[in-house]
Amino acid sequence: MAHILEQTPSSSTGAANLFAAAAAMEDSNGEHADYSSINRATALVSPTEQEYELITSKVRDLMEEGRGETIFELGTGEDTGEVGLTEEELAASVATLKSIADIMDSDCNQLRSKPCEGGKKSVQYLVRQRADIRDFMEIRVAVVGNVDAGKSTLLGVLTHGELDNGRGFARQKLFRHKHEAESGRTSSVGNDILGFDSTGAVVNQPDHGSLDWVKVCENSSKVITFIDLAGHERYLKTTVFGMTGHAPDFGMLMVGANAGIVGMTKEHLGLALALSVPVFVVVTKIDMCPPNVLQETLKLLVKILKSPGCRKVPVMVKTGDDVVLSATNFVSERLCPIFQVSNVTGENMDFLKMFLNLLSTRSPNTDNEPAEFQIDDTYSVPGVGTVVSGTTLRGRIRINDNLLLGPDPLGHFQSIAVKSIHRKRMPVTEVRSGQTASFSLKKVKRSNIRKGMVMVSPAVEPQCCYEFEGEILVLHHPTTISTKYQAMVHCGSIRQTASIIRMSSECLRTGDKAQVLFRFVKHPEYLKEGQRLVFREGRTKAVGNVNKVLPYTPAVVGKEKVKTAAKVSQQQVRGEGKRRQGSTAVSSHVSTVLSSQGPTVVSSQGSTVVSSQGPTVVSSQGSTVVSSQTSLPAGATTTQSHQTSLPAGATTLTTQSQPGTATSQAASSLQQPAQA
């Protein structure tokens, strides 16, 4: 017993020292972690305890940056370049990496191995977190291309795992409307999902032809959301909204091998480039296309991608190594992978799935910032109430959070509470930045919400704006653009007509660049500096950035103003217009009115009209119209008038006389009767 007591202080001291060292290491690995000691190629072969902790910390940082996954390379040193590892060293390194992955509840999958000098080789591994039932990584891919390029068919094959029959079998599962199924053309923004587990295998298993989204999401570590856009020119408005409002990470440009690059293909490519969305190309229908036509299509495609407007590096994907190379360098190196697939035979479809599996999200991790959510659609669900869907731009949103919804047509933001949250039809407790979700809101009518509104944390202190400055580049315009020109502005999920108030140059033509002050026509919107905008009207297109937002402070109606407004509305009767004081037909300032069958004397203050039967005398202070009527024999209607001008504000009242009298009316004159 004694020796235990003797050892207790020292062991506790040792534990304290251990914790202190761990804390110090955490501090050192916090913001500015120093990984220089593990940069050599053989760092994972037999690391010391401290090196092992550093490697674990490095992998954790990389996975946080990549939202739950990273591609880790064994056998390369950052300082020494590629060295490669022998078989024994490689086996030891893989064992170390797998043990680290197990600590983080992740899986390791070999992607490719590359031979180095002296029989050594380097290997790339994908480290991805295992599926969490309530949380998965999400990547949005917008699918664009000309009509009849096979967009919906390819998505049907990818998501449902069944090949097409060449007669539109695969796309029937995706259409939302009856007219789409009849014509075979997509007219709305469709959403489809493809799930991958932690080993990179496809999760989608349709039951009886329909896909259970909840089951897919529960078993997936990573979900690709395809935003199926319309190819037809008539639906360009919808396509532009899908590209701006749904905030895609990547664009998949579809080209039919037999038709080539026709119609809207260049428009959609230009739109993706203008919005800085990285694009990869999928050439479909290679099974039915003659080889010479396919070669011509590819040659033209490469020429367009290399042109000064695109400045991309086209890569024909033919092997698994090409897929890994293009996926890892996709965003950074301006690569544009080109896949050639067939929806009927399934040729090269595995390469496309592998590429989609390796895509990493582009949006930075901003979970700790105040929440901001843009609304791109609203629904009224029976038994639930108002539901809004959209994208979380930054921060986290949890159930029962209080957020500000706005701006309404007057520019105000109202406080609302989130009742429930769904992601891909699956109920969750919170959403993080970069994820799409739908919220059920309390005590809000659907009619009060429109696309383009935002839900933000009160900490943001949001301000709306009518006017904003932007730098725009005119891509195409048949004539010239000058001030007071109006067109539709797409900025995020905002769609509204804006007019040009002021420009840095007198007029703009195709290819011109200018600093422009815009003003929204209908109601204020919530904008932020740095957002991309697309400016379009018919065939006119311009793109640019929001440089400066001029905040608009909405008027607050006080109690006194409300009372005044109520008084005015009571006084003014429909059709009367605004009457000036002192010009009423019946005046409140009449001092004496003597009405008799004989001569009548009236003395008045203000402008008053008096009529009598018989000779009339009116004496007044102010401008007065006198209309006098005397009895005439029946049939005598001759009247002699003498006109004098009256001051503004004088009013005439017409009176009816006895039969046999001449009725005289004057709009702004004095009438004196004379016997006929």
Side-chain angles (χ1 to χ4, degrees):
M1 194 71 175
H3 70 274
I4 293 174
L5 287 171
E6 281 172 16
Q7 283 184 353
T8 306
S10 60
S11 60
S12 66
T13 313
N17 292 340
L18 201 63
F19 283 126
M25 189 176 288
E26 269 187 25
D27 291 342
S28 67
N29 295 343
E31 290 299 311
H32 308 286
D34 182 21
Y35 298 129
S36 54
S37 60
I38 54 164
N39 281 346
R40 62 187 191 281
T42 55
L44 273 78
V45 177
S46 54
T48 63
E49 194 173 336
Q50 192 173 0
E51 285 177 343
Y52 187 82
E53 291 291 334
L54 271 174
I55 295 164
T56 308
S57 171
K58 183 178 181 179
V59 174
R60 187 178 282 117
D61 285 354
L62 287 169
M63 287 182 74
E64 271 182 24
E65 200 178 305
R67 302 289 182 94
E69 68 174 27
T70 184
I71 293 173
F72 200 85
E73 202 158 348
L74 301 175
T76 57
E78 289 178 21
D79 301 334
T80 53
E82 290 192 4
V83 180
L85 297 171
T86 61
E87 289 295 333
E88 294 83 11
E89 289 174 335
L90 190 60
S93 297
V94 170
T96 307
L97 186 61
K98 285 190 173 173
S99 69
I100 290 170
D102 283 338
I103 293 170
M104 296 180 187
D105 193 29
S106 305
D107 279 329
C108 282
N109 297 297
Q110 184 176 332
L111 295 177
R112 65 189 283 252
S113 65
K114 198 159 79 178
C116 299
E117 294 173 9
K120 297 180 178 181
K121 59 180 180 179
S122 63
V123 184
Q124 279 183 325
Y125 271 84
L126 173 69
V127 183
R128 179 181 289 167
Q129 278 186 341
R130 296 191 183 106
D132 181 356
I133 290 177
R134 292 283 163 225
D135 193 26
F136 51 86
M137 179 183 171
E138 182 187 355
I139 287 176
R140 291 179 295 282
V141 177
V143 186
V144 292
N146 193 43
V147 66
D148 302 334
K151 296 184 290 298
S152 299
T153 303
L154 177 71
L155 294 192
V157 172
L158 282 172
T159 57
H160 286 75
E162 291 180 68
L163 293 173
D164 191 36
N165 62 355
R167 292 279 176 273
F169 167 72
R171 70 184 180 198
Q172 291 298 331
K173 301 183 175 73
L174 305 186
F175 288 144
R176 295 167 64 181
H177 303 292
K178 184 168 177 276
H179 68 88
E180 292 181 336
E182 286 167 359
S183 67
R185 285 181 180 168
T186 309
S187 65
S188 58
V189 178
N191 276 294
D192 306 287
I193 62 169
L194 178 64
F196 293 100
D197 62 13
S198 55
T199 60
V202 176
V203 175
N204 291 35
Q205 295 296 333
D207 299 326
H208 308 292
S210 64
L211 201 62
D212 186 356
W213 282 32
V214 176
K215 198 179 283 182
V216 170
C217 294
E218 281 181 352
N219 299 326
S220 299
S221 296
K222 182 178 197 169
V223 172
I224 309 282
T225 305
F226 293 108
I227 305 163
D228 189 11
L229 300 175
H232 203 282
E233 186 172 0
R234 132 172 38 146
Y235 306 123
L236 180 64
K237 178 180 84 166
T238 311
T239 306
V240 173
F241 178 72
M243 287 292 283
T244 57
H246 288 74
D249 294 305
F250 303 101
M252 180 157 82
L253 181 69
M254 309 282 292
V255 178
N258 53 348
I261 297 168
V262 289
M264 300 298 287
T265 310
K266 287 183 188 174
E267 290 266 1
H268 291 165
L269 178 61
L271 183 62
L273 292 168
L275 296 169
S276 304
V277 176
V279 177
F280 61 97
V281 182
V282 178
V283 179
T284 58
K285 307 185 185 182
I286 59 169
D287 55 301
M288 63 176 276
C289 182
N292 60 328
V293 177
L294 177 61
Q295 289 308 313
E296 283 297 315
T297 302
L298 291 174
K299 198 185 291 180
L300 180 58
L301 183 61
V302 168
K303 184 183 170 188
I304 288 174
L305 290 171
K306 282 182 175 176
S307 67
C310 290
R311 295 202 309 278
K312 296 275 184 192
V313 183
V315 177
M316 295 287 176
V317 177
K318 294 192 171 67
T319 63
D321 275 10
D322 293 345
V323 175
V324 177
L325 266 173
S326 52
T328 47
N329 301 315
F330 185 27
V331 181
S332 56
E333 302 294 331
R334 296 208 320 272
L335 286 186
C336 182
I338 300 173
F339 296 88
Q340 301 169 44
V341 301
S342 165
N343 294 321
V344 176
T345 63
E347 190 181 341
N348 293 343
M349 201 63 78
D350 288 339
F351 290 154
L352 184 57
K353 285 181 183 174
M354 185 178 172
F355 179 76
L356 291 167
N357 175 39
L358 295 177
L359 284 180
S360 57
T361 181
R362 284 196 311 137
S363 56
N365 196 338
T366 55
D367 293 349
N368 301 323
E369 293 183 18
E372 195 176 312
F373 178 87
Q374 76 174 18
I375 296 170
D376 55 42
D377 221 337
T378 61
Y379 311 93
S380 190
V381 180
V384 176
T386 307
V387 172
V388 297
S389 72
T391 313
T392 314
L393 300 178
R394 50 175 57 82
R396 291 173 190 250
I397 301 176
R398 297 179 178 84
I399 290 178
N400 294 327
D401 273 7
N402 280 318
L403 300 169
L404 295 174
L405 172 72
D408 62 9
L410 295 175
H412 296 117
F413 287 81
Q414 60 166 325
S415 182
I416 47 132
V418 176
K419 201 159 52 175
S420 65
I421 306 175
H422 277 223
R423 283 187 65 202
K424 305 275 171 271
R425 306 176 188 171
M426 184 173 79
V428 294
T429 53
E430 69 164 21
V431 286
R432 294 183 298 184
S433 56
Q435 297 177 344
T436 53
S438 49
F439 297 140
S440 166
L441 304 179
K442 293 178 184 173
K443 299 176 185 172
V444 182
K445 286 185 183 173
R446 185 190 172 193
S447 56
N448 295 345
I449 302 174
R450 56 186 165 78
K451 292 178 183 179
M453 288 174 92
V454 291
M455 287 162 46
V456 292
S457 163
V460 174
E461 295 178 357
Q463 279 190 308
C464 59
C465 73
Y466 263 113
E467 297 186 356
F468 66 95
E469 281 185 19
E471 188 179 25
I472 64 164
L473 167 68
V474 182
L475 300 178
H476 174 77
H477 186 58
T479 57
T480 58
I481 295 175
S482 54
T483 50
K484 297 187 181 176
Y485 175 81
Q486 290 190 350
M488 185 69 75
V489 166
H490 290 261
C491 185
S493 58
I494 294 167
R495 272 199 304 198
Q496 201 190 139
T497 307
S499 58
I500 294 176
I501 306 290
R502 190 176 67 239
M503 292 195 301
S504 57
S505 55
E506 280 187 26
C507 60
L508 295 177
R509 294 183 176 85
T510 303
D512 287 358
K513 213 174 198 179
Q515 192 77 16
V516 178
L517 177 68
F518 291 100
R519 180 179 172 83
F520 285 120
V521 170
K522 286 175 75 178
H523 36 242
E525 300 281 10
Y526 177 75
L527 278 177
K528 297 194 76 174
E529 290 173 12
Q531 279 185 291
R532 309 286 297 196
L533 66 91
V534 177
F535 187 63
R536 65 159 194 88
E537 183 230 7
R539 298 204 62 81
T540 300
K541 278 166 212 70
V543 294
N545 292 323
V546 178
N547 287 351
K548 185 181 174 187
V549 175
L550 306 175
Y552 166 72
T553 308
V556 180
V557 180
K559 288 183 182 176
E560 290 178 11
K561 285 188 180 177
V562 172
K563 284 179 185 173
T564 317
K567 260 187 193 173
V568 171
S569 64
Q570 282 173 6
Q571 282 178 357
Q572 192 169 332
V573 183
R574 183 180 173 84
E576 283 187 341
K578 289 185 178 176
R579 298 179 300 185
R580 293 179 185 165
Q581 191 180 6
S583 63
T584 51
V586 180
S587 172
S588 57
H589 296 294
V590 177
S591 43
T592 321
V593 177
L594 295 171
S595 167
S596 69
Q597 289 296 321
T600 304
V601 182
V602 176
S603 128
S604 77
Q605 295 168 8
S607 52
T608 312
V609 177
V610 179
S611 78
S612 72
Q613 296 169 11
T616 306
V617 182
V618 176
S619 115
S620 75
Q621 297 164 11
S623 53
T624 311
V625 177
V626 179
S627 153
S628 106
Q629 295 149 8
T630 51
S631 299
L632 294 171
T637 53
T638 312
T639 304
Q640 216 173 19
S641 69
H642 175 65
Q643 297 182 352
T644 55
S645 60
L646 289 171
T651 314
T652 311
L653 185 70
T654 307
T655 60
Q656 186 72 40
S657 61
Q658 285 181 334
T661 61
T663 304
S664 59
Q665 301 178 3
S668 59
S669 63
L670 189 70
Q671 293 185 352
Q672 295 176 341
Q675 186 115 18

